[in-house]
Amino acid sequence: MNRMTIAIYSRKSKFTGKGDSIANQIELCKQRAQQFLSLKNISEENTKILIYEDEGFSGKNTVRPEFQKLLAAVKSNEINCVICYKLDRISRNVGDFAQTYETFEKHKVDFLCAGETYDTTTPAGRAMMGMVSVFAQMEREVTAERIRDNMHMLARSGRWLGGHTPTGFQSHKEERVDVDGKIRSLFKLVPVKKELELVEFIYQKFIELQSISGTTRYLIKNNLRTKNGNDFTNVAVKAILRNPVYCIAGQEAADFFRSSGADICFEEDELDNKQGFMPYNRTSSGKDQQIKNEIKDWLIAVGNHDGIIQSDTWVKIQKILDAKREKIKSIVRTPYKSEALLSGILVCGNCNRAMRPHVHKNRKSAEGIIPYYYICELKERSSKERCDMCNANGAVIDNAIMDELLNYERTDSSIHKSLLELKERLANKKESENNQLGFLESELETKQKQIDRLLDALGADESNAQETFVELTRQKINALADQCKALKNEIEKASLNNAIYTDYESQTQAVVDTLKKLKDTMLTTTAVEKRELLKSTVERIVWDGEKAYIFLLGE
């Protein structure tokens, strides 16, 4: 039996009560829905119609509460068909509508208009939607071109356009009055002396060592940190070495950018061998993260700040880095399938850094097994200066952890004991809260009965009673009411605690279920699959040099 869920969407910028009002839009959409169901041979009894109304919201964008709920339902595959009165009810922006329609298409949702001939269930309707998408793409390209032209104009000013300031600089706001008498704000980079000294040192150390990892190890070993107080990484060091903001505006660097295909936004007479370069468009916004652009996509201008690295030195470093990158690309790698199971979850008990597996590729045991061990990342990078945690024998710790996890039901298992203690503790806490909740509810009931009796007495005798008696009775009632209010607050807290302990119990059971799943599947999987299964079960394992402590997810 065919079932159908139809969503009707209506929107109006302001209430008028006439014309294409919300009510009129919905009525027309319902009539269109009946026609659609008739063509599909689906009865109304097997149809669910959901109404989404946005009144007082413009169609200039899609930031509307009911429309967002509709999109969420579409993405959850709860909707089969969307009907609106006219196309502009969805959006007045072609690009926004095209994006919405792509979502409909992705989730196989039909789209109909009650007052126009848009119907994606017909070939003509789909062709019309295709035309809309073409216009939307053209709009996106025109917008991108306009943005790039604007960036060219801004780049020529050498100003800082915002974002994370590079190490060695901070953003400084300046205000100027333009020819029309309006106050304009712009930002420039101003030096941070101590940070720039560290940047210069990093360049010098790289020239000396000709290695990013060697430079990083030296910085960590000597406790030289980033401006945010973190240890340097290879990525952070490379970002500093690659950033043109430190390069003095000289001819060598200008030729390098030009030969690399970058957009040059300066004149030759601006190369004063003093100011630094200002790069733009080094990154683009991806779906979930910033994407680094190639140099050919950069815009390069002369900035309003001083550079610190000579032009020829900066270019020399770029060529060294490029050569290393090409060498890495040319190496045909045959990945070694390490048996190390705890990679990504084993951490050092001294410094809380990850412990990485190191494989002795040129050694084998009598059984033909290649040995490996886990070493603290900070220990390795700082040459034992910052951490001296002893290494963990890979095969020994892996086998011990697997034995503990797979045999968690064994009575002498520490996991088994921990789970039993946890369940018992939660049961006791829950029982205590239940007893407390029962006592509080009994007390509340008693107080409320006392109030009722006092109110009855007061209501019966108030006309003849002495004024003093009435006032005392009212004071007693108010005091009892305050006590009831306090009891209700305590009951609410106790109920919340009870719910929390119930949730903890379900989490504990989830841990048990996960361990059972692990036991049922672990023995028949590859090393890679075993690592992923462990990550879905274990939050982390801490190595203190003698013992390993297992922290299960959700425990």
Side-chain angles (χ1 to χ4, degrees):
M1 183 181 292
N2 289 333
R3 294 187 178 276
M4 175 74 64
T5 300
I6 296 176
I8 291 176
Y9 179 74
S10 59
R11 179 189 66 78
K12 193 169 179 65
S13 298
K14 59 183 179 178
F15 177 76
T16 61
K18 58 183 180 180
D20 56 349
S21 66
I22 292 288
N24 289 343
Q25 289 180 44
I26 292 173
E27 183 57 36
L28 289 169
C29 289
K30 284 182 177 179
Q31 293 174 17
R32 186 68 182 88
Q34 289 174 349
Q35 296 171 7
F36 177 68
L37 293 171
S38 178
L39 287 172
K40 290 282 187 180
N41 197 26
I42 300 173
S43 68
E44 291 187 25
E45 289 77 17
N46 294 323
T47 303
K48 183 179 181 181
I49 294 182
L50 304 175
I51 308 294
Y52 297 87
E53 306 173 12
D54 276 319
E55 186 149 18
F57 289 90
S58 168
K60 65 182 179 182
N61 58 47
T62 59
V63 185
R64 291 168 249 137
E66 288 297 297
F67 184 73
Q68 291 302 318
K69 286 181 184 178
L70 168 62
L71 283 182
V74 167
K75 291 173 183 177
S76 299
N77 299 312
E78 299 171 15
I79 307 293
N80 303 111
C81 176
V82 174
I83 303 176
C84 69
Y85 172 50
K86 287 184 179 180
L87 207 63
D88 64 3
R89 298 302 90 190
I90 297 292
S91 178
R92 295 187 185 278
N93 182 290
V94 178
D96 284 343
F97 175 77
Q99 188 175 5
T100 301
Y101 178 61
E102 286 173 6
T103 302
F104 290 168
E105 268 196 317
K106 181 180 178 181
H107 294 276
K108 296 181 173 55
V109 173
D110 292 325
F111 174 70
L112 311 174
C113 278
E116 294 172 334
T117 56
Y118 295 103
D119 182 348
T120 62
T121 64
T122 67
R126 288 191 290 273
M128 185 68 74
M129 291 299 109
M131 290 174 62
V132 168
S133 297
V134 169
F135 282 117
Q137 179 61 30
M138 184 175 71
E139 181 182 317
R140 283 194 289 267
E141 291 174 359
V142 169
T143 301
E145 188 176 339
R146 191 183 304 123
I147 290 171
R148 192 167 184 84
D149 288 343
N150 190 42
M151 283 185 67
H152 265 283
M153 183 181 70
L154 291 172
R156 291 195 175 279
S157 69
R159 69 180 68 177
W160 173 250
L161 298 184
H164 294 292
T165 52
T167 300
F169 296 98
Q170 61 184 11
S171 178
H172 176 69
K173 181 179 179 180
E174 291 184 346
E175 292 184 342
R176 297 177 183 175
V177 180
D178 64 14
V179 292
D180 298 323
K182 294 182 179 179
I183 298 175
R184 304 288 183 185
S185 297
L186 58 85
F187 294 84
K188 63 178 290 187
L189 294 179
V190 296
V192 179
K193 186 179 177 182
K194 190 174 181 181
E195 291 180 14
L196 279 180
E197 288 173 353
L198 178 58
V199 170
E200 284 188 275
F201 179 79
I202 289 171
Y203 273 86
Q204 292 167 8
K205 185 56 66 175
F206 179 78
I207 288 290
E208 175 192 333
L209 300 176
Q210 303 273 303
S211 165
I212 287 180
S213 58
T215 303
T216 304
R217 276 196 298 272
Y218 182 91
L219 294 169
I220 293 174
K221 182 178 179 180
N222 290 276
N223 205 23
L224 296 171
R225 297 175 179 266
T226 68
K227 66 178 182 178
N228 296 322
N230 301 319
D231 284 324
F232 275 98
T233 63
N234 290 344
V235 173
V237 170
K238 186 178 179 182
I240 288 174
L241 296 173
R242 285 289 197 186
N243 200 333
V245 78
Y246 306 112
C247 178
I248 293 172
Q251 193 62 54
E252 296 87 348
D255 292 341
F256 172 79
F257 290 127
R258 194 172 282 110
S259 64
S260 300
D263 236 335
I264 303 301
C265 302
F266 57 82
E267 303 297 334
E268 292 297 313
D269 59 4
E270 293 181 64
L271 301 173
D272 60 358
N273 288 302
K274 180 183 177 184
Q275 291 174 274
F277 283 109
M278 181 65 76
Y280 301 91
N281 202 43
R282 292 181 70 207
T283 61
S284 300
S285 297
K287 185 177 180 182
D288 300 312
Q289 59 183 351
Q290 290 291 103
I291 300 169
K292 291 182 180 179
N293 293 331
E294 297 291 329
I295 295 182
K296 63 182 178 62
D297 297 316
W298 294 6
L299 280 74
I300 301 292
V302 175
N304 296 322
H305 64 283
D306 289 344
I308 60 169
I309 305 299
Q310 291 298 326
S311 182
D312 56 345
T313 301
W314 192 85
V315 172
K316 178 183 177 182
I317 288 173
Q318 305 317 301
K319 291 179 178 178
I320 293 172
L321 293 173
D322 289 342
K324 287 179 177 292
R325 183 173 62 182
E326 291 304 315
K327 184 178 180 181
I328 291 171
K329 284 182 180 178
S330 66
I331 297 173
V332 179
R333 292 182 177 272
T334 53
Y336 174 74
K337 296 180 180 178
S338 170
E339 294 297 319
L341 298 180
L342 307 185
S343 177
I345 54 176
L346 186 64
V347 298
C348 171
N350 273 354
C351 63
N352 206 34
R353 298 297 183 90
M355 296 191 69
R356 309 292 187 195
H358 278 245
V359 180
H360 295 290
K361 294 184 180 180
N362 299 322
R363 290 169 53 190
K364 283 188 178 180
S365 67
E367 294 78 18
I369 298 172
I370 299 176
Y372 60 95
Y373 61 91
Y374 294 97
I375 183 172
C376 170
E377 185 181 61
L378 184 60
K379 171 186 175 180
E380 182 182 31
R381 289 187 175 181
S382 67
S383 302
K384 299 185 182 180
E385 290 288 333
R386 300 273 303 282
C387 183
D388 60 354
M389 172 61 71
C390 65
N391 301 338
N393 184 302
V396 172
I397 192 171
D398 281 4
N399 290 335
I401 294 295
M402 290 308 302
D403 179 64
E404 189 68 30
L405 291 172
L406 296 182
N407 297 297
Y408 71 94
E409 294 172 307
R410 198 174 56 207
T411 54
D412 62 340
S413 161
S414 59
I415 292 179
H416 179 78
K417 292 176 182 176
S418 294
L419 287 172
L420 283 180
E421 289 173 4
L422 183 60
K423 285 182 176 180
E424 185 178 353
R425 198 159 63 246
L426 288 172
N428 291 337
K429 292 263 189 187
K430 193 174 177 182
E431 184 181 2
S432 175
E433 288 297 334
N434 279 331
N435 292 337
Q436 176 70 358
L437 188 60
F439 170 76
L440 291 170
E441 288 174 341
S442 176
E443 280 290 292
L444 179 62
E445 185 179 359
T446 300
K447 302 291 184 188
Q448 286 175 333
K449 285 180 179 178
Q450 290 177 15
I451 290 174
D452 290 340
R453 284 196 296 270
L454 287 169
L455 287 171
D456 289 342
L458 191 62
D461 300 331
E462 187 173 6
S463 58
N464 299 319
Q466 293 181 358
E467 186 177 337
T468 304
F469 170 76
V470 172
E471 182 59 31
L472 288 172
T473 304
R474 283 178 175 165
Q475 288 177 9
K476 181 66 174 176
I477 290 172
N478 290 336
L480 287 168
D482 289 339
Q483 292 172 21
C484 286
K485 185 177 179 180
L487 284 167
K488 286 176 181 177
N489 289 335
E490 291 298 317
I491 287 171
E492 188 176 339
K493 289 178 185 177
S495 298
L496 180 60
N497 287 336
N498 194 294
I500 290 171
Y501 291 131
T502 301
D503 185 49
Y504 285 165
E505 284 181 332
S506 64
Q507 286 184 38
T508 305
Q509 185 56 46
V511 170
V512 174
D513 294 341
T514 304
L515 286 169
K516 186 177 185 305
K517 178 184 175 184
L518 184 72
K519 184 176 181 179
D520 293 342
T521 57
M522 184 61 85
L523 297 177
T524 59
T525 56
T526 65
V528 174
E529 291 169 335
K530 284 177 181 177
R531 277 195 290 272
E532 291 307 310
L533 278 169
L534 277 173
K535 287 177 183 177
S536 70
T537 309
V538 178
E539 180 182 324
R540 71 188 185 283
I541 297 171
V542 179
W543 170 249
D544 70 358
E546 294 182 359
K547 295 180 181 179
Y549 299 86
I550 303 171
F551 293 83
L552 298 174
L553 282 169
E555 186 180 1

